[in-house]
Amino acid sequence: MIVPVNEDYLFEVDVGKRQISPVYWEGPVFEVRRATWFMQMDGVWLPCEEALGNQIEQGYQKHQPYNQVDQISTTVVHKEETVELDLGDQDKEETSKLVMTEELQQTTVMQEVVEEDEKREVLVEPYVGQYVVYKGSSQALLLQDESTTSTTKGFFTRFTVKSDIKISLMRGYDQVLKKEENEKKKQEEKEATKESDALNTDRKTEGQREVQQSRSIEEEEEEKKMTQQAAEDYENEESEEEVRNIDQLVFVIHGIGQQMSERLTGQNFVHDVNLLRKTIKTAWPSIASTNATKNGIQVLPVLWRKNILFGVEEEDVAEKKGESDIGIASDNMMDEGGCPTLEEITLDGAPNIRSLVSDVFLDIPLYMTSKYHDLMIQIVTKEINRVYRLFIKRNPHFIKNNGQITIVAHSLGSLLGFDILCAQPFHDTTTQTTCSLDFPVKNYFALGSPLGMILLLRGNKIVSRRSLKPDATAHTSDLVYPAADNIYNIFHKSDPVAYRLEPLIVRHYGAQLKPEPIPYIKGGLKRVLDVGNELANKAGAMLESFKMDIFHKSTMLMRGLSFGGFSAATAQHEVLMVEKRSETDPDLVRSRRAAKGAATLKSLNESGRVDWYLQEGVLENAYLSALSVHMSYWQDVDVAGFLIRELYKHRQEATKVVYV
């Protein structure tokens, strides 16, 4: 039986196989455990294996520790009260209490041993040599016999460093939550006590200790992040109770260097998309606080790189061998024909750096070749359509609610997405090609895109399909027509990969315009300064408007009183002079050109702008940022906020988009 689970049912569980896997993309498959008993491993409560949990539960029902009354505490209280009544002398009373306390402790230990034997459950295969001691209605210990074999010890060493450690057990997930909450409170109290004690210590020593602690904590956190990243992407059950009504579907296409990112950092593209989805959730309250609309944005990755094996022969593909070089090597040393491999032309020096450069930048020259360009386009189109059809099958209300589709593409992915949009048919036709999408695209966002450079090398200019006549079919080869209502080019000014697009739409007008800043919502000192500057600009604009209003009114008053010799003949003469001057006046010519350029940009984006840049923080260094900004778009709150704002900016009663 297959059960959809987690946020928006992005994952599904095979109950029979006890496995969870993603629905819309290829990803790792994790084990799912149905458990009543949980064990504590390195401070984390994990569900027991089902076979182990069943044996523990059988012993629990057999011994029924929840019905047994703790007689030890009752006996202790009774004996202490008897001693206090019989002894009259104060000194003797204190001495007797101490003696009796030791005796009672010994008695308690003996009783605990007896009680332990009574509540002990010896485990059988495959856990021979281990036993469980029940400590109450919801707690127990998993222990190991001293005479256990090395095979049995292996169970403990799978989870812990030492094989002789007692493992705490807890019955019921509700008890686990209570335990974690109590431990969290104790940890907070402990940290508060440490901070209080630290005030009385030497500042230098304290600073050194804090630095060492912070370094060790950072190393541990980085290691945990690397090992648990994929599993964490599956743990998104906070919104599982309510399936959202999706009205904005966003496909994300990755760019260059994805092979390098996965191999060196362990951070794959699926994780990047999950970060973007979470960042949109984080930014939603501040962006849509005055809007009654709920967050209906769903973000899905489009994986294409693994489906392309450069330089692999057909028999190798059938055997699922790894990626090889561009050329095909020959076993015949006497054969001098054929294309050499990349390995054969690569220098020996600095192999690690060369491998890094190859992983990051090899995709771009391959994309520029006609063979791999067409292959990439076909694979990306096929994958987008596959994910779309699967999404519609599982979310039929999306079309009924006039849902809109957006493509977000990063780096080289922006070239792929843009070329796919330009390859769409110019008319609503039933003819399908290998590059045809099954849906119209409302918005296209390019993040950190080298598209401007590539179009410049091709000699292309971007033109809106709205400018074409209804029956237009032919167009010049130097013009490209993306099939999207709105085009956005988002970049960080320090991103070494990104380029502008507006000069490729209207050359002089676009070059004179500065990129439009994306609203800064991160907060901090810059946010405070921006608010102050905004208030100052508004005040200046109001003052200027007031001055102009006074000037115009005084001028009209003078003309009304004929102080300036104003007459109908004079007015007609001035109109003729203005019409004659408009044909040669540079200012008017520039004004008309600017109006035409603004209209051209507006045809490609309803806001009238295409290039948008992310603002830097007050203390941000542009040169240092250049090393990391290209991969930072996914978790940037400003990017997420801008996506939300633009997707819902002109939310209308959607109709099917027809490009003519």
Side-chain angles (χ1 to χ4, degrees):
M1 182 175 66
I2 306 298
V3 179
V5 296
N6 286 9
E7 174 199 1
D8 303 326
Y9 294 156
L10 294 178
F11 302 88
E12 60 185 13
V13 171
D14 188 324
V15 179
K17 295 181 179 179
R18 296 290 197 271
Q19 293 178 342
I20 182 173
S21 59
V23 173
Y24 298 104
W25 62 88
E26 181 182 353
V29 178
F30 289 96
E31 178 189 359
V32 174
R33 294 179 181 177
R34 176 178 290 175
T36 301
W37 287 91
F38 298 80
M39 59 174 57
Q40 190 175 32
M41 298 295 178
D42 298 328
V44 180
W45 289 94
L46 301 175
C48 295
E49 295 179 356
E50 291 194 32
L52 175 61
N54 291 336
Q55 292 191 38
I56 297 174
E57 181 65 17
Q58 289 176 3
Y60 181 81
Q61 299 298 335
K62 173 183 175 182
H63 297 288
Q64 298 182 356
Y66 47 87
N67 289 332
Q68 297 180 7
V69 182
D70 188 0
Q71 301 293 337
I72 299 176
S73 60
T74 306
T75 305
V76 171
V77 173
H78 176 71
K79 289 185 177 181
E80 285 184 351
E81 290 178 352
T82 304
V83 171
E84 291 177 3
L85 292 174
D86 292 343
L87 297 179
D89 185 74
Q90 185 69 24
D91 295 336
K92 291 182 178 180
E93 180 181 357
E94 297 295 333
T95 304
S96 301
K97 283 184 178 181
L98 294 175
V99 174
M100 289 301 299
T101 300
E102 294 178 358
E103 294 177 354
L104 288 172
Q105 288 177 351
Q106 296 176 0
T107 305
T108 302
V109 172
M110 294 177 62
Q111 291 177 349
E112 285 183 348
V113 172
V114 174
E115 201 71 26
E116 178 178 310
D117 291 335
E118 294 176 354
K119 299 179 183 179
R120 174 186 293 191
E121 177 70 14
V122 179
L123 303 180
V124 296
E125 289 286 351
Y127 310 103
V128 175
Q130 303 167 42
Y131 64 95
V132 178
V133 176
Y134 300 95
K135 293 294 184 180
S137 61
S138 61
Q139 297 183 11
L141 289 176
L142 178 62
L143 303 172
Q144 177 183 9
D145 284 338
E146 296 180 359
S147 59
T148 185
T149 63
S150 58
T151 304
T152 305
K153 291 182 180 180
F155 173 80
F156 285 86
T157 56
R158 278 193 305 172
F159 300 101
T160 59
V161 178
K162 299 180 180 180
S163 61
D164 56 348
I165 296 179
K166 298 179 181 179
I167 298 180
S168 299
L169 301 174
M170 187 75 66
R171 187 177 189 273
Y173 189 63
D174 56 337
Q175 297 297 325
V176 172
L177 295 178
K178 292 180 182 179
K179 185 71 173 178
E180 290 179 342
E181 184 65 25
N182 293 334
E183 291 176 353
K184 182 179 179 181
K185 291 181 180 179
K186 291 180 180 179
Q187 184 65 23
E188 292 176 352
E189 294 176 356
K190 186 177 180 180
E191 292 178 356
T193 304
K194 285 184 178 179
E195 292 178 359
S196 178
D197 295 340
L199 295 176
N200 300 324
T201 60
D202 182 70
R203 293 184 178 179
K204 183 176 180 180
T205 304
E206 178 187 3
Q208 294 175 349
R209 183 174 64 253
E210 288 180 352
V211 170
Q212 294 175 353
Q213 291 177 351
S214 63
R215 288 177 180 175
S216 61
I217 291 174
E218 289 178 358
E219 292 175 357
E220 292 177 0
E221 290 181 351
E222 184 66 22
E223 183 178 355
K224 290 181 179 179
K225 179 181 178 181
M226 297 290 290
T227 56
Q228 299 179 358
Q229 185 183 88
E232 289 175 355
D233 290 336
Y234 288 60
E235 297 174 356
N236 55 355
E237 299 182 1
E238 295 182 358
S239 60
E240 184 180 1
E241 296 80 5
E242 180 181 354
V243 179
R244 295 185 300 152
N245 185 19
I246 304 300
D247 56 11
Q248 297 287 344
L249 179 59
V250 180
F251 292 115
V252 187
I253 306 174
H254 67 75
I256 64 172
Q258 197 57 43
Q259 297 287 80
M260 179 272 295
S261 180
E262 294 182 12
R263 183 163 55 85
L264 296 183
T265 67
Q267 179 168 321
N268 55 41
F269 178 63
V270 173
H271 181 70
D272 292 335
V273 174
N274 288 337
L275 283 178
L276 177 60
R277 189 186 302 112
K278 293 176 182 178
T279 307
I280 289 176
K281 288 183 179 180
T282 302
W284 179 268
S286 59
I287 301 298
S289 57
T290 59
N291 194 342
T293 304
K294 293 184 178 181
N295 180 7
I297 303 175
Q298 181 58 274
V299 185
L300 299 177
V302 177
L303 304 178
W304 59 268
R305 185 59 175 84
K306 292 183 178 180
N307 295 326
I308 300 178
L309 299 178
F310 297 113
V312 179
E313 298 185 73
E314 294 182 359
E315 54 268 24
D316 293 338
V317 175
E319 296 176 6
K320 298 182 179 179
K321 291 185 178 181
E323 181 171 310
S324 180
D325 297 315
I326 300 175
I328 304 299
S330 175
D331 294 333
N332 186 1
M333 300 299 296
M334 301 301 294
D335 183 10
E336 295 297 337
C339 179
T341 66
L342 180 63
E343 182 180 1
E344 292 172 347
I345 66 173
T346 301
L347 301 179
D348 296 333
N352 293 334
I353 297 178
R354 292 184 184 278
S355 176
L356 176 65
V357 172
S358 176
D359 285 338
V360 176
F361 297 110
L362 184 60
D363 289 350
I364 290 183
L366 287 171
Y367 183 72
M368 299 297 291
T369 63
S370 58
K371 174 183 176 182
Y372 290 111
H373 171 273
D374 296 340
L375 179 62
M376 290 183 184
I377 292 296
Q378 294 173 11
I379 288 179
V380 174
T381 304
K382 181 179 179 181
E383 180 64 12
I384 292 180
N385 287 334
R386 183 195 69 81
V387 177
Y388 171 75
R389 293 165 187 165
L390 183 58
F391 178 83
I392 296 302
K393 181 180 179 181
R394 291 172 172 259
N395 301 269
H397 62 274
F398 179 78
I399 296 180
K400 296 179 182 179
N401 295 339
N402 298 318
Q404 297 176 344
I405 298 177
T406 295
I407 293 180
V408 174
H410 177 248
S411 194
L412 175 64
S414 65
L415 277 66
L416 289 165
F418 188 83
D419 285 349
I420 290 174
L421 294 178
C422 294
Q424 300 308 299
F426 282 80
H427 303 282
D428 186 18
T429 176
T430 57
T431 304
Q432 293 289 322
T433 65
T434 56
C435 299
S436 298
L437 296 173
D438 294 344
F439 51 85
V441 177
K442 179 67 176 179
N443 307 293
Y444 178 72
F445 292 85
L447 306 179
S449 173
L451 179 60
M453 170 63 74
I454 301 302
L455 293 180
L456 180 64
L457 295 176
R458 293 176 179 174
N460 294 145
K461 293 195 67 175
I462 306 174
V463 181
S464 172
R465 296 198 174 194
R466 298 188 183 98
S467 63
L468 297 175
K469 296 180 180 180
D471 57 346
T473 55
H475 52 279
T476 58
S477 59
D478 61 337
L479 301 180
V480 289
Y481 302 84
D485 290 356
N486 300 290
I487 304 294
Y488 297 86
N489 183 37
I490 300 176
F491 53 86
H492 195 290
K493 286 187 174 181
S494 301
D495 191 340
V497 180
Y499 290 88
R500 294 192 61 187
L501 288 182
E502 288 179 345
L504 292 166
I505 302 171
V506 277
R507 177 184 174 185
H508 297 290
Y509 178 72
Q512 293 173 359
L513 287 177
K514 292 183 178 180
E516 188 73 11
I518 292 176
Y520 191 90
I521 62 174
K522 292 188 181 75
L525 179 60
K526 177 174 175 54
R527 180 62 176 169
V528 176
L529 296 177
D530 287 346
V531 172
N533 293 334
E534 185 178 352
L535 293 176
N537 292 335
K538 288 183 178 180
M542 292 177 62
L543 180 60
E544 189 67 23
S545 176
F546 180 71
K547 290 180 178 179
M548 292 298 296
D549 186 54
I550 294 178
F551 174 77
H552 286 302
K553 289 182 178 180
S554 61
T555 302
M556 294 299 295
L557 179 62
M558 294 287 290
R559 289 181 176 181
L561 297 175
S562 298
F563 289 162
F566 184 81
S567 63
T570 304
Q572 185 177 4
H573 177 72
E574 289 183 358
V575 170
L576 293 176
M577 292 297 294
V578 169
E579 292 178 353
K580 183 177 180 180
R581 188 181 61 181
S582 63
E583 299 178 358
T584 58
D585 191 334
D587 294 335
L588 292 177
V589 171
R590 281 194 296 268
S591 178
R592 290 178 178 176
R593 185 181 299 168
K596 184 178 180 180
T600 304
L601 288 178
K602 195 173 182 63
S603 66
L604 284 165
N605 193 307
E606 296 177 3
S607 66
R609 297 304 304 270
V610 173
D611 289 336
W612 301 79
Y613 74 93
L614 292 166
Q615 302 183 62
E616 298 176 345
V618 176
L619 303 179
E620 187 173 354
N621 187 291
Y623 294 97
L624 297 178
S625 299
L627 301 175
S628 60
V629 293
H630 186 64
M631 299 300 296
S632 65
Y633 295 99
W634 313 114
Q635 50 192 343
D636 194 299
V637 178
D638 290 346
V639 172
F642 185 72
L643 288 175
I644 296 171
R645 190 180 296 106
E646 296 303 313
L647 291 183
Y648 286 99
K649 187 174 183 179
H650 301 291
R651 179 64 178 163
Q652 302 172 348
E653 293 296 329
T655 56
K656 186 174 182 180
V657 179
V658 179
Y659 297 101
V660 293

